[in-house]
Amino acid sequence: MKDKQAYQDEILNEVTERDYQFGFESNIETETFPKGLNEDIIRRISAVRDEPDWVLEFRLKAFRAWQKMTPPTWPHLKLPDINFQDLIYYARPKPRKKPNSLDEVDPEILDIYNRLGIPLEEQKALAGVAVDAVLDSVSVKTTFQEELRKQGIIFCPISDAIRDYPDLVRKYLGSVVPYSDNFYAALNSAVFTDGSFVFVPKGVHSPMELSSYFRINARGTGQFERTLVIVEEGGYVSYLEGCTAPQRDENQLHAAVVELIAHKDAEIKYSTVQNWYPGDKEGKGGIFNFVTKRGICLGDRSKISWTQVETGSAITWKYPSTILKGDDSVAEFYSVAVTNNYQQADTGTKMIHIGRNTRSTIISKGISAGHSQNTYRGQVHVKKSAVGARNYSVCDSLLMGDKCGAHTFPYIDIENRHATVEHEATTSKISDDQLFYLQQRGLDEESAVNMIVNGYAKEVLRQLPMEFAVEAQKLLEISLEGSVG
Amino acid sequence: MKNWLDKMPKRMNWTDYFEKAPHLWPDIAGRWPGFIQAAKEKAAAETARKGFPHARLEAWRKTPLNQWRTAAVEPAGVSRRVSDGRLFPAATIHIPLTNGIPVATWHEENSISFGRLSEAVQQMPEVVKQYFGGLQRLSDDAMTDFNTAYFKDGLFVYVPEGTGKVRLEWTNLIDAATAHLWNGRMLVIVEPDNEVEMAGTDIAEGEAISIGTRVAEIFVQRASTFRFYGWQQLNDVSALVGHYFMQAADEARIDGFNFPLNGGLLREEVWADITGSGARVNLHGFYAPAGDQQTDERIFVAHGAEGSFSHQQFKGLIDGRAKALFNGRILVRPGAQQTNAYQKNDNILLSDEARAHSLPFLEIYADDVSCSHGSTTGSLNGEALFYMQQRGLAPELAQRLMLYGYADEVIGEIPDEELQALTRRLVRAKIDGRLSSETDIFALVREEILSPVE
């Protein structure tokens, strides 16, 4: 264990002591398994991580289920044929003495990062943000851990949690997203390597935002994070997830699973800014992002709030969902999804009402530009037991250009007559009147569009923690660059 | 003419008809001209290839057919029974159908031609050839293939250019004395500059299972208006799965009103394909399934030309263990700029076992558009109910009044006043629980005209 600690410290220093080179393929050598997926590979993943038997069992069960499954065909996505046997399922960074110079970084990418203003140093400087930097598959180090520890909050890589808190992990892992839930979740359950574990004990209000920066690294590997957040009775946590990725030609697969558990009177706020490499202007390359995110409001009066700003990835397949089991529990979903060039996104949420007087809100804002396709897909399911359930959904889509598509597929299934469910959606372009008005006030067209887009997305952006909101706003502008006129 | 269906086994499960379609097909040969034969042959193969719709298909996920899947039914023969029931007093042409097939023979009246499809292929072969099957391909539902493979005959209506105002009505008597399968077909051509109103009622006679499919293809050409009204009154063990394909050319207008009254499963799939600029499509419906009934309204409006308009308004009231599904879809094809499309779906659940599914879809591939939808599901507004009770109305009456008003938002859109009043009576009777599957709706309408309950 001592060796591991030293090793982690070394990597952490490497990462933190230099400028954060977003988009730069960190030249950290990786211990990489051969391509392909079979029970041997899974046993090796489990062995190299010193996992207890029950984790290996979980993985194998998932793998066997996965083998019998096929990727879903219902999303409004044109998926390339992914050869799942042609991927590397495990890569671990090894320490290396010197980072390479900035010259190797794609200047275009560097420019974007500078404009976003999000070097790690700055993130560190932002008061109250704990960073769990995930480089490829092994979580490197968790900062601020000591302070959290004082409050009884556990915030660590899930691999550490499996080692240090096996009972907790065993109790909750797969309890919200079963290993056989869907094709990508089963794949994740079989091969997951890291992600974060958060546990907030009874009555504790996390004193800071917990933040995890995920990065994809090493050519040809996918990342399979597993995140588990548990908040006990009366607790509160706000969790931030943000991603950047290096520019590359090869498509990369990403299949994460996130599980949230909110006990009685607990609240979880889960925010994501996702700006992975979307592919180039011709639609070449980019990340494939297949994510299963689901939370359960287990106890009465619990609350789960999802906020996402999705601007990256070539393909996004993601439906952060909430099961409202406890009476009077509350769920929210706020989303801005931007697609440009040849990006495709099929994203939305599911609200499953089981408890009495449960309430959910869905605010989704889609923006499509270029040749992209942007789909909102969401379900509101009020079960028979959900007396007095309420849902309010608004799904707006903005089209920029006549080559893109914006689609809205709500599924509203109501089995209780004492429920009230309202859904509305609009699709349109930016109104000429608004543009004219702003231009007439002296703004150029691009600034005018940015202003309108920001106003359009504000309802969602203001749900983000402050530092994320600023970053996200800039991200929208950059993502839509060149789509005007 | 030899009836090929007579050669088939007396009774089969509905699923068997699917699986055996290609084997039975040779028996169909010899009756129709080549292009229809070819279509039937292809459809028979497709029927067998696709198989009976299963619950994993998106289009059938919420519509369990279990009750009918294994029901032994025999093909409906030609019946001499006719219904003279009418709901559209202004109609000057009345076409009685039995099991989807016109009873009377070929007719020409004021330049309008109508009759059986099998006669139309003799009388106006070129017209039939030009239009038959032209819209059906919009859907890949196995039910449309099934219908094509198995239909025996159908209704053909041709309104030539500049005929003007035409009002017609058909009443389809479905033979449910014994368990039957029937497959209705319609081909309606409305040439430019006409105003055609068509009312259609499906009524089942008898208490046995009847399973019906219908494929209607309706062409509405330049600057013509086509308005249709539908009522379905079947018994509670019968099912009707209808596909209504409509095409709207330049400046054409389509208005549709559908009122499923009773039936085990009343499923309507409407495809309005807007191919002309400036076309307008308004589709309305009010459904009130009760008991174990299910209604499905699947409304697909495809905008394929500039400056077109569409509006969908569907409202439902679900009681008992009933289930209602609304799947509205607006598709704006690339280049269909200045599209203005709106869809609205409201559902009220009246019982603890009732279920509503609302799927208002938008699929937009053009940017200069204004498309929106709204959907609400819930119970009656408690405050409004309280207000009315507080003004001295009994709770039951207050609820009834509110439901009447709720339904009237759809009924009030019917332009023909007589039809509006008559539909209001039918729908109110259904709301009041006075219109069951055994009710003679024609008698009910007559009675109520004599003694209105306003």
Short mmCIF file of all heavy atoms in Angstrom, two decimals, chain A residues 76 373 384 399 401-402 405-415 417 419-429, chain B residues 58 62 349-350 352-353 355-369 371-379:
data_model
loop_
_atom_site.label_atom_id
_atom_site.label_comp_id
_atom_site.label_asym_id
_atom_site.label_seq_id
_atom_site.Cartn_x
_atom_site.Cartn_y
_atom_site.Cartn_z
N HIS A 76 -32.21 7.89 -32.12
CA HIS A 76 -32.19 8.60 -33.39
C HIS A 76 -30.73 8.94 -33.71
O HIS A 76 -30.33 10.10 -33.68
CB HIS A 76 -33.05 9.86 -33.28
CG HIS A 76 -33.40 10.47 -34.59
ND1 HIS A 76 -32.55 11.31 -35.26
CD2 HIS A 76 -34.50 10.34 -35.37
CE1 HIS A 76 -33.13 11.68 -36.39
NE2 HIS A 76 -34.31 11.11 -36.48
N GLN A 373 -27.53 16.39 -35.60
CA GLN A 373 -28.86 15.91 -35.22
C GLN A 373 -28.95 15.91 -33.70
O GLN A 373 -28.13 15.30 -33.04
CB GLN A 373 -29.11 14.49 -35.76
CG GLN A 373 -29.04 14.37 -37.27
CD GLN A 373 -30.13 15.12 -37.99
OE1 GLN A 373 -31.21 15.35 -37.44
NE2 GLN A 373 -29.86 15.54 -39.21
N LYS A 384 -48.94 3.48 -10.72
CA LYS A 384 -50.25 3.47 -10.08
C LYS A 384 -50.20 3.99 -8.64
O LYS A 384 -51.14 4.61 -8.15
CB LYS A 384 -50.75 2.03 -10.07
CG LYS A 384 -52.22 1.91 -10.31
CD LYS A 384 -52.54 0.47 -10.64
CE LYS A 384 -53.91 0.15 -10.11
NZ LYS A 384 -54.27 -1.23 -10.42
N LEU A 399 -32.91 25.77 -33.87
CA LEU A 399 -32.22 25.31 -35.08
C LEU A 399 -31.40 26.45 -35.66
O LEU A 399 -31.89 27.58 -35.77
CB LEU A 399 -33.24 24.84 -36.11
CG LEU A 399 -33.97 23.54 -35.81
CD1 LEU A 399 -35.37 23.57 -36.38
CD2 LEU A 399 -33.20 22.37 -36.36
N GLY A 401 -29.44 26.94 -39.04
CA GLY A 401 -29.06 26.41 -40.35
C GLY A 401 -30.05 25.36 -40.80
O GLY A 401 -30.75 24.76 -40.00
N ASP A 402 -30.10 25.15 -42.12
CA ASP A 402 -31.13 24.26 -42.66
C ASP A 402 -30.63 22.86 -42.95
O ASP A 402 -31.29 22.07 -43.59
CB ASP A 402 -31.75 24.88 -43.93
CG ASP A 402 -30.71 25.13 -45.00
OD1 ASP A 402 -29.53 24.82 -44.76
OD2 ASP A 402 -31.08 25.63 -46.07
N GLY A 405 -30.93 18.89 -37.68
CA GLY A 405 -32.23 18.41 -37.27
C GLY A 405 -32.43 18.55 -35.77
O GLY A 405 -31.47 18.45 -35.00
N ALA A 406 -33.66 18.80 -35.37
CA ALA A 406 -33.98 18.88 -33.94
C ALA A 406 -35.23 18.05 -33.70
O ALA A 406 -36.23 18.23 -34.39
CB ALA A 406 -34.23 20.31 -33.53
N HIS A 407 -35.15 17.13 -32.75
CA HIS A 407 -36.23 16.17 -32.58
C HIS A 407 -36.63 16.04 -31.12
O HIS A 407 -35.79 16.16 -30.23
CB HIS A 407 -35.80 14.81 -33.13
CG HIS A 407 -35.03 14.93 -34.42
ND1 HIS A 407 -35.59 15.49 -35.54
CD2 HIS A 407 -33.75 14.65 -34.73
CE1 HIS A 407 -34.69 15.52 -36.50
NE2 HIS A 407 -33.55 15.02 -36.03
N THR A 408 -37.90 15.81 -30.90
CA THR A 408 -38.42 15.73 -29.54
C THR A 408 -39.28 14.48 -29.43
O THR A 408 -40.27 14.36 -30.15
CB THR A 408 -39.27 16.98 -29.23
OG1 THR A 408 -38.57 18.14 -29.65
CG2 THR A 408 -39.57 17.09 -27.75
N PHE A 409 -38.87 13.57 -28.58
CA PHE A 409 -39.63 12.32 -28.42
C PHE A 409 -40.00 12.09 -26.96
O PHE A 409 -39.32 11.34 -26.25
CB PHE A 409 -38.81 11.12 -28.93
CG PHE A 409 -38.44 11.20 -30.39
CD1 PHE A 409 -37.12 11.06 -30.78
CD2 PHE A 409 -39.40 11.40 -31.36
CE1 PHE A 409 -36.77 11.12 -32.13
CE2 PHE A 409 -39.06 11.47 -32.70
CZ PHE A 409 -37.74 11.32 -33.09
N PRO A 410 -41.05 12.73 -26.48
CA PRO A 410 -41.46 12.48 -25.10
C PRO A 410 -42.38 11.25 -25.01
O PRO A 410 -43.16 11.00 -25.91
CB PRO A 410 -42.23 13.75 -24.73
CG PRO A 410 -42.55 14.43 -26.01
CD PRO A 410 -41.87 13.73 -27.13
N TYR A 411 -42.22 10.52 -23.94
CA TYR A 411 -43.08 9.36 -23.67
C TYR A 411 -43.74 9.61 -22.31
O TYR A 411 -43.06 9.63 -21.30
CB TYR A 411 -42.26 8.07 -23.59
CG TYR A 411 -41.51 7.73 -24.85
CD1 TYR A 411 -40.39 8.46 -25.23
CD2 TYR A 411 -41.91 6.68 -25.66
CE1 TYR A 411 -39.70 8.15 -26.39
CE2 TYR A 411 -41.21 6.36 -26.83
CZ TYR A 411 -40.11 7.10 -27.17
OH TYR A 411 -39.42 6.80 -28.32
N ILE A 412 -45.03 9.81 -22.33
CA ILE A 412 -45.72 10.14 -21.09
C ILE A 412 -46.68 9.01 -20.77
O ILE A 412 -47.64 8.78 -21.51
CB ILE A 412 -46.46 11.49 -21.24
CG1 ILE A 412 -45.46 12.59 -21.63
CG2 ILE A 412 -47.20 11.86 -19.96
CD1 ILE A 412 -46.11 13.81 -22.24
N ASP A 413 -46.38 8.28 -19.72
CA ASP A 413 -47.18 7.10 -19.37
C ASP A 413 -47.77 7.30 -17.98
O ASP A 413 -47.05 7.32 -16.99
CB ASP A 413 -46.31 5.84 -19.39
CG ASP A 413 -45.68 5.63 -20.77
OD1 ASP A 413 -46.44 5.69 -21.75
OD2 ASP A 413 -44.46 5.42 -20.84
N ILE A 414 -49.09 7.44 -17.93
CA ILE A 414 -49.73 7.80 -16.67
C ILE A 414 -50.68 6.70 -16.23
O ILE A 414 -51.59 6.33 -16.95
CB ILE A 414 -50.52 9.13 -16.82
CG1 ILE A 414 -49.66 10.20 -17.50
CG2 ILE A 414 -51.04 9.59 -15.46
CD1 ILE A 414 -48.40 10.56 -16.79
N GLU A 415 -50.45 6.22 -15.02
CA GLU A 415 -51.30 5.14 -14.50
C GLU A 415 -52.02 5.57 -13.23
O GLU A 415 -52.63 4.74 -12.56
CB GLU A 415 -50.43 3.90 -14.20
CG GLU A 415 -49.81 3.31 -15.45
CD GLU A 415 -48.77 2.26 -15.15
OE1 GLU A 415 -48.73 1.76 -14.02
OE2 GLU A 415 -47.98 1.96 -16.06
N ARG A 417 -54.70 8.46 -11.61
CA ARG A 417 -55.58 9.55 -12.01
C ARG A 417 -55.39 10.80 -11.17
O ARG A 417 -55.91 11.86 -11.50
CB ARG A 417 -57.02 9.10 -11.99
CG ARG A 417 -57.56 8.82 -10.60
CD ARG A 417 -59.06 8.78 -10.72
NE ARG A 417 -59.70 8.16 -9.61
CZ ARG A 417 -60.91 8.56 -9.22
NH1 ARG A 417 -61.52 9.52 -9.82
NH2 ARG A 417 -61.47 7.96 -8.20
N ALA A 419 -52.65 12.25 -10.72
CA ALA A 419 -51.37 12.83 -11.13
C ALA A 419 -51.63 13.99 -12.09
O ALA A 419 -52.65 14.01 -12.78
CB ALA A 419 -50.53 11.78 -11.82
N THR A 420 -50.74 14.93 -12.10
CA THR A 420 -50.86 16.02 -13.05
C THR A 420 -49.56 16.11 -13.83
O THR A 420 -48.49 16.26 -13.23
CB THR A 420 -51.11 17.36 -12.32
OG1 THR A 420 -52.24 17.19 -11.47
CG2 THR A 420 -51.36 18.48 -13.31
N VAL A 421 -49.66 15.95 -15.11
CA VAL A 421 -48.47 15.93 -15.94
C VAL A 421 -48.65 16.91 -17.09
O VAL A 421 -49.64 16.86 -17.80
CB VAL A 421 -48.21 14.51 -16.49
CG1 VAL A 421 -47.02 14.50 -17.43
CG2 VAL A 421 -47.97 13.53 -15.35
N GLU A 422 -47.69 17.79 -17.22
CA GLU A 422 -47.77 18.77 -18.29
C GLU A 422 -46.48 18.75 -19.08
O GLU A 422 -45.39 18.69 -18.51
CB GLU A 422 -47.97 20.18 -17.72
CG GLU A 422 -49.30 20.38 -17.06
CD GLU A 422 -49.31 21.66 -16.24
OE1 GLU A 422 -48.82 21.62 -15.11
OE2 GLU A 422 -49.78 22.67 -16.76
N HIS A 423 -46.63 18.79 -20.38
CA HIS A 423 -45.45 18.78 -21.23
C HIS A 423 -45.65 19.79 -22.34
O HIS A 423 -46.71 19.86 -22.93
CB HIS A 423 -45.27 17.38 -21.83
CG HIS A 423 -44.20 17.33 -22.87
ND1 HIS A 423 -42.94 16.87 -22.58
CD2 HIS A 423 -44.18 17.71 -24.16
CE1 HIS A 423 -42.20 16.97 -23.67
NE2 HIS A 423 -42.93 17.47 -24.64
N GLU A 424 -44.62 20.58 -22.60
CA GLU A 424 -44.71 21.41 -23.79
C GLU A 424 -43.36 21.49 -24.45
O GLU A 424 -42.32 21.31 -23.83
CB GLU A 424 -45.25 22.81 -23.46
CG GLU A 424 -44.49 23.55 -22.40
CD GLU A 424 -45.15 24.89 -22.09
OE1 GLU A 424 -45.64 25.53 -23.02
OE2 GLU A 424 -45.16 25.28 -20.92
N ALA A 425 -43.40 21.71 -25.74
CA ALA A 425 -42.16 21.77 -26.48
C ALA A 425 -42.31 22.72 -27.66
O ALA A 425 -43.41 22.86 -28.21
CB ALA A 425 -41.77 20.39 -26.99
N THR A 426 -41.24 23.38 -27.99
CA THR A 426 -41.25 24.23 -29.18
C THR A 426 -39.98 23.98 -29.98
O THR A 426 -38.96 23.61 -29.42
CB THR A 426 -41.28 25.73 -28.81
OG1 THR A 426 -40.07 26.03 -28.10
CG2 THR A 426 -42.46 26.10 -27.96
N THR A 427 -40.09 24.16 -31.26
CA THR A 427 -38.92 24.07 -32.13
C THR A 427 -38.97 25.25 -33.09
O THR A 427 -39.99 25.46 -33.75
CB THR A 427 -38.92 22.76 -32.94
OG1 THR A 427 -38.99 21.67 -32.03
CG2 THR A 427 -37.65 22.63 -33.77
N SER A 428 -37.90 26.00 -33.15
CA SER A 428 -37.88 27.12 -34.07
C SER A 428 -36.44 27.58 -34.27
O SER A 428 -35.53 27.05 -33.66
CB SER A 428 -38.73 28.28 -33.53
OG SER A 428 -38.19 28.70 -32.30
N LYS A 429 -36.26 28.56 -35.13
CA LYS A 429 -34.93 29.14 -35.25
C LYS A 429 -34.91 30.42 -34.42
O LYS A 429 -35.93 30.83 -33.86
CB LYS A 429 -34.61 29.40 -36.71
CG LYS A 429 -35.52 30.43 -37.38
CD LYS A 429 -34.97 30.81 -38.74
CE LYS A 429 -35.75 31.97 -39.31
NZ LYS A 429 -35.17 32.50 -40.53
N GLU B 58 -41.73 -0.78 -31.60
CA GLU B 58 -42.10 0.52 -31.06
C GLU B 58 -43.58 0.85 -31.32
O GLU B 58 -44.28 1.34 -30.45
CB GLU B 58 -41.18 1.60 -31.67
CG GLU B 58 -41.30 2.98 -31.08
CD GLU B 58 -40.86 3.07 -29.62
OE1 GLU B 58 -39.99 2.25 -29.21
OE2 GLU B 58 -41.38 3.93 -28.91
N LYS B 62 -47.29 -0.51 -26.85
CA LYS B 62 -48.36 -0.16 -25.90
C LYS B 62 -49.71 -0.70 -26.35
O LYS B 62 -50.73 -0.30 -25.81
CB LYS B 62 -48.44 1.37 -25.75
CG LYS B 62 -47.13 2.03 -25.39
CD LYS B 62 -46.88 1.95 -23.90
CE LYS B 62 -45.65 2.78 -23.55
NZ LYS B 62 -45.10 2.38 -22.26
N LEU B 349 -57.95 11.12 -16.58
CA LEU B 349 -58.19 9.77 -16.07
C LEU B 349 -59.31 9.83 -15.05
O LEU B 349 -59.29 10.64 -14.14
CB LEU B 349 -56.93 9.21 -15.41
CG LEU B 349 -55.65 9.16 -16.25
CD1 LEU B 349 -54.53 8.45 -15.50
CD2 LEU B 349 -55.89 8.46 -17.56
N LEU B 350 -60.30 8.96 -15.23
CA LEU B 350 -61.46 9.00 -14.33
C LEU B 350 -61.45 7.89 -13.30
O LEU B 350 -62.26 7.91 -12.38
CB LEU B 350 -62.75 8.90 -15.16
CG LEU B 350 -63.12 10.14 -15.98
CD1 LEU B 350 -64.36 9.86 -16.80
CD2 LEU B 350 -63.34 11.35 -15.09
N ASP B 352 -59.13 4.59 -11.08
CA ASP B 352 -57.81 4.18 -10.57
C ASP B 352 -57.09 3.23 -11.50
O ASP B 352 -55.87 3.07 -11.41
CB ASP B 352 -57.97 3.52 -9.19
CG ASP B 352 -58.39 4.54 -8.15
OD1 ASP B 352 -58.15 5.74 -8.39
OD2 ASP B 352 -58.95 4.14 -7.11
N GLU B 353 -57.83 2.58 -12.37
CA GLU B 353 -57.19 1.57 -13.23
C GLU B 353 -56.94 2.10 -14.64
O GLU B 353 -56.38 1.39 -15.48
CB GLU B 353 -58.10 0.33 -13.35
CG GLU B 353 -58.53 -0.27 -12.03
CD GLU B 353 -57.46 -1.14 -11.40
OE1 GLU B 353 -56.70 -1.76 -12.16
OE2 GLU B 353 -57.38 -1.17 -10.16
N ARG B 355 -55.39 4.14 -17.76
CA ARG B 355 -54.03 4.50 -18.13
C ARG B 355 -54.00 5.35 -19.39
O ARG B 355 -54.80 5.14 -20.31
CB ARG B 355 -53.19 3.25 -18.38
CG ARG B 355 -52.56 2.70 -17.11
CD ARG B 355 -51.91 1.38 -17.37
NE ARG B 355 -52.92 0.37 -17.70
CZ ARG B 355 -52.61 -0.83 -18.19
NH1 ARG B 355 -51.37 -1.14 -18.43
NH2 ARG B 355 -53.56 -1.70 -18.44
N ALA B 356 -53.08 6.28 -19.43
CA ALA B 356 -52.94 7.14 -20.61
C ALA B 356 -51.49 7.16 -21.04
O ALA B 356 -50.59 7.26 -20.21
CB ALA B 356 -53.41 8.56 -20.29
N HIS B 357 -51.28 7.05 -22.33
CA HIS B 357 -49.93 7.19 -22.87
C HIS B 357 -49.96 8.32 -23.89
O HIS B 357 -50.77 8.29 -24.81
CB HIS B 357 -49.47 5.91 -23.56
CG HIS B 357 -49.51 4.70 -22.66
ND1 HIS B 357 -48.59 4.52 -21.66
CD2 HIS B 357 -50.36 3.66 -22.60
CE1 HIS B 357 -48.87 3.39 -21.02
NE2 HIS B 357 -49.94 2.86 -21.56
N SER B 358 -49.09 9.27 -23.69
CA SER B 358 -49.06 10.40 -24.62
C SER B 358 -47.65 10.52 -25.17
O SER B 358 -46.69 10.66 -24.43
CB SER B 358 -49.45 11.67 -23.86
OG SER B 358 -49.39 12.78 -24.72
N LEU B 359 -47.54 10.42 -26.46
CA LEU B 359 -46.23 10.49 -27.10
C LEU B 359 -46.24 11.53 -28.22
O LEU B 359 -46.43 11.19 -29.39
CB LEU B 359 -45.82 9.12 -27.68
CG LEU B 359 -45.60 7.95 -26.72
CD1 LEU B 359 -46.89 7.37 -26.19
CD2 LEU B 359 -44.80 6.85 -27.40
N PRO B 360 -46.09 12.78 -27.86
CA PRO B 360 -46.13 13.82 -28.88
C PRO B 360 -44.73 14.05 -29.47
O PRO B 360 -43.89 14.67 -28.84
CB PRO B 360 -46.61 15.05 -28.10
CG PRO B 360 -46.25 14.78 -26.68
CD PRO B 360 -45.94 13.32 -26.51
N PHE B 361 -44.50 13.55 -30.66
CA PHE B 361 -43.16 13.60 -31.25
C PHE B 361 -42.99 14.73 -32.26
O PHE B 361 -43.91 15.04 -33.02
CB PHE B 361 -42.84 12.28 -31.98
CG PHE B 361 -42.67 11.09 -31.08
CD1 PHE B 361 -42.46 9.83 -31.64
CD2 PHE B 361 -42.71 11.20 -29.69
CE1 PHE B 361 -42.29 8.71 -30.84
CE2 PHE B 361 -42.54 10.08 -28.88
CZ PHE B 361 -42.34 8.83 -29.46
N LEU B 362 -41.80 15.28 -32.26
CA LEU B 362 -41.43 16.27 -33.28
C LEU B 362 -40.14 15.80 -33.94
O LEU B 362 -39.20 15.40 -33.25
CB LEU B 362 -41.16 17.65 -32.66
CG LEU B 362 -42.25 18.32 -31.84
CD1 LEU B 362 -41.71 19.61 -31.20
CD2 LEU B 362 -43.44 18.66 -32.71
N GLU B 363 -40.10 15.85 -35.24
CA GLU B 363 -38.88 15.47 -35.95
C GLU B 363 -38.66 16.51 -37.04
O GLU B 363 -39.37 16.54 -38.04
CB GLU B 363 -39.06 14.07 -36.55
CG GLU B 363 -37.76 13.34 -36.75
CD GLU B 363 -37.96 11.93 -37.29
OE1 GLU B 363 -39.01 11.33 -37.01
OE2 GLU B 363 -37.06 11.46 -37.99
N ILE B 364 -37.68 17.38 -36.81
CA ILE B 364 -37.59 18.59 -37.62
C ILE B 364 -36.26 18.67 -38.36
O ILE B 364 -35.21 18.63 -37.74
CB ILE B 364 -37.73 19.86 -36.72
CG1 ILE B 364 -38.84 19.69 -35.68
CG2 ILE B 364 -37.93 21.10 -37.57
CD1 ILE B 364 -40.24 19.72 -36.19
N TYR B 365 -36.33 18.80 -39.67
CA TYR B 365 -35.11 18.89 -40.48
C TYR B 365 -35.05 20.19 -41.28
O TYR B 365 -34.39 20.23 -42.32
CB TYR B 365 -35.03 17.70 -41.44
CG TYR B 365 -34.91 16.36 -40.75
CD1 TYR B 365 -36.03 15.60 -40.49
CD2 TYR B 365 -33.68 15.87 -40.35
CE1 TYR B 365 -35.94 14.37 -39.85
CE2 TYR B 365 -33.56 14.65 -39.71
CZ TYR B 365 -34.70 13.90 -39.46
OH TYR B 365 -34.60 12.68 -38.83
N ALA B 366 -35.77 21.20 -40.88
CA ALA B 366 -35.67 22.50 -41.55
C ALA B 366 -35.69 23.55 -40.46
O ALA B 366 -36.27 23.34 -39.39
CB ALA B 366 -36.83 22.70 -42.50
N ASP B 367 -35.00 24.68 -40.69
CA ASP B 367 -34.84 25.60 -39.56
C ASP B 367 -35.88 26.70 -39.47
O ASP B 367 -36.25 27.11 -38.38
CB ASP B 367 -33.43 26.20 -39.55
CG ASP B 367 -33.15 27.02 -40.79
OD1 ASP B 367 -33.77 26.75 -41.84
OD2 ASP B 367 -32.31 27.94 -40.72
N ASP B 368 -36.38 27.15 -40.62
CA ASP B 368 -37.31 28.28 -40.54
C ASP B 368 -38.71 27.76 -40.30
O ASP B 368 -39.59 27.84 -41.16
CB ASP B 368 -37.23 29.09 -41.83
CG ASP B 368 -38.01 30.39 -41.71
OD1 ASP B 368 -38.47 30.71 -40.59
OD2 ASP B 368 -38.16 31.09 -42.72
N VAL B 369 -38.92 27.22 -39.11
CA VAL B 369 -40.19 26.58 -38.82
C VAL B 369 -40.67 27.01 -37.44
O VAL B 369 -39.91 27.51 -36.62
CB VAL B 369 -40.06 25.04 -38.81
CG1 VAL B 369 -39.59 24.53 -40.15
CG2 VAL B 369 -39.12 24.58 -37.72
N CYS B 371 -42.72 24.93 -34.71
CA CYS B 371 -43.39 23.69 -34.36
C CYS B 371 -43.48 23.58 -32.85
O CYS B 371 -42.52 23.87 -32.15
CB CYS B 371 -42.63 22.48 -34.88
SG CYS B 371 -42.45 22.49 -36.66
N SER B 372 -44.61 23.15 -32.36
CA SER B 372 -44.70 23.01 -30.92
C SER B 372 -45.75 21.97 -30.57
O SER B 372 -46.57 21.59 -31.40
CB SER B 372 -45.04 24.35 -30.27
OG SER B 372 -46.21 24.87 -30.83
N HIS B 373 -45.67 21.52 -29.34
CA HIS B 373 -46.72 20.64 -28.89
C HIS B 373 -46.93 20.83 -27.39
O HIS B 373 -46.08 21.32 -26.68
CB HIS B 373 -46.44 19.17 -29.23
CG HIS B 373 -45.24 18.59 -28.56
ND1 HIS B 373 -44.48 17.62 -29.14
CD2 HIS B 373 -44.66 18.84 -27.38
CE1 HIS B 373 -43.50 17.29 -28.34
NE2 HIS B 373 -43.58 18.01 -27.26
N GLY B 374 -48.09 20.42 -26.96
CA GLY B 374 -48.40 20.48 -25.55
C GLY B 374 -49.16 19.22 -25.19
O GLY B 374 -49.91 18.68 -26.00
N SER B 375 -48.92 18.74 -23.99
CA SER B 375 -49.61 17.54 -23.56
C SER B 375 -49.90 17.68 -22.08
O SER B 375 -49.04 18.07 -21.31
CB SER B 375 -48.72 16.32 -23.81
OG SER B 375 -49.19 15.22 -23.06
N THR B 376 -51.10 17.39 -21.69
CA THR B 376 -51.42 17.39 -20.27
C THR B 376 -52.15 16.10 -19.92
O THR B 376 -52.89 15.56 -20.73
CB THR B 376 -52.33 18.57 -19.86
OG1 THR B 376 -53.60 18.40 -20.49
CG2 THR B 376 -51.74 19.91 -20.26
N THR B 377 -51.90 15.61 -18.73
CA THR B 377 -52.64 14.47 -18.23
C THR B 377 -52.95 14.72 -16.77
O THR B 377 -52.09 15.18 -16.03
CB THR B 377 -51.81 13.17 -18.35
OG1 THR B 377 -51.35 13.05 -19.68
CG2 THR B 377 -52.64 11.96 -17.98
N GLY B 378 -54.16 14.45 -16.39
CA GLY B 378 -54.49 14.65 -14.98
C GLY B 378 -55.94 14.35 -14.73
O GLY B 378 -56.62 13.71 -15.52
N SER B 379 -56.41 14.83 -13.60
CA SER B 379 -57.81 14.67 -13.29
C SER B 379 -58.48 16.02 -13.48
O SER B 379 -57.84 16.99 -13.86
CB SER B 379 -57.97 14.17 -11.85
OG SER B 379 -57.16 14.93 -10.99
#
